[in-house]
Amino acid sequence: MGKVYSAQNVAAYIIYELNEVKEYVNACAIQQILADVNVMWQKVFGHSAFSEQTHNLETTGYVIKEVAEEYNVHGSAHILTPAREWFLKYGEFQLVQRPYAVPNYSVKEELVMTKILNAHRLRVYNSVNVAV
């Protein structure tokens, strides 16, 4: 059984993974990949991957509203680092701004995410080849 994750954390994972292989990632790509993650999670694990409410990408333009709002400032520009969250440790009076953490996936979840990102790369590659 797969776990349920925050979409912000999954988006951070997507950004780190795609940047590691020098792959272009923007706000639109993140939403498409989140849609793929949710569909695959439903197929493999029988439930949504995200703790947030999901939406239909075709009708709303986003899958996770909170992630879309966070990354809309980038427009179609490449995203180098994940969004940041505010963090306050118990007993301290200083707010710390840090990037969203990546999920600690199980082996099966990691395989699912690898398949999704490989499918995304293939989709991008095929769209570029068609355009040329």
Side-chain angles (χ1 to χ4, degrees):
M1 173 121 185
K3 296 179 206 152
V4 175
Y5 296 100
S6 165
Q8 292 285 11
N9 298 108
V10 175
Y13 174 84
I14 292 166
I15 292 166
Y16 283 131
E17 288 296 309
L18 292 178
N19 275 307
E20 187 173 306
V21 295
K22 310 277 190 266
E23 186 80 31
Y24 181 81
V25 60
N26 64 10
C28 182
I30 290 172
Q31 291 299 317
Q32 180 62 54
I33 296 169
L34 290 176
D36 295 344
V37 168
N38 206 39
V39 167
M40 188 65 86
W41 231 257
Q42 290 284 353
K43 287 180 183 175
V44 175
F45 302 113
H47 59 81
S48 175
F50 309 116
S51 55
E52 296 89 351
Q53 182 180 2
T54 59
H55 303 273
N56 185 320
L57 182 62
E58 284 77 37
T59 58
T60 60
Y62 55 82
V63 176
I64 305 293
K65 183 179 181 182
E66 295 82 357
V67 174
E69 290 171 349
E70 192 71 46
Y71 292 101
N72 271 346
V73 296
H74 295 281
S76 62
H78 178 68
I79 300 171
L80 291 170
T81 57
R84 299 190 173 279
E85 66 178 331
W86 290 101
F87 177 72
L88 178 62
K89 283 186 176 180
Y90 181 75
E92 292 184 11
F93 297 102
Q94 182 178 6
L95 284 173
V96 178
Q97 190 181 24
R98 64 181 188 188
Y100 281 98
V102 292
N104 187 15
Y105 292 124
S106 68
V107 173
K108 188 173 185 178
E109 292 169 341
E110 183 73 35
L111 287 172
V112 169
M113 289 302 295
T114 300
K115 284 183 179 183
I116 292 166
L117 291 176
N118 287 340
H120 169 73
R121 287 186 201 104
L122 184 61
R123 184 172 50 236
V124 168
Y125 176 77
N126 287 337
S127 68
V128 169
N129 280 341
V130 170
V132 174

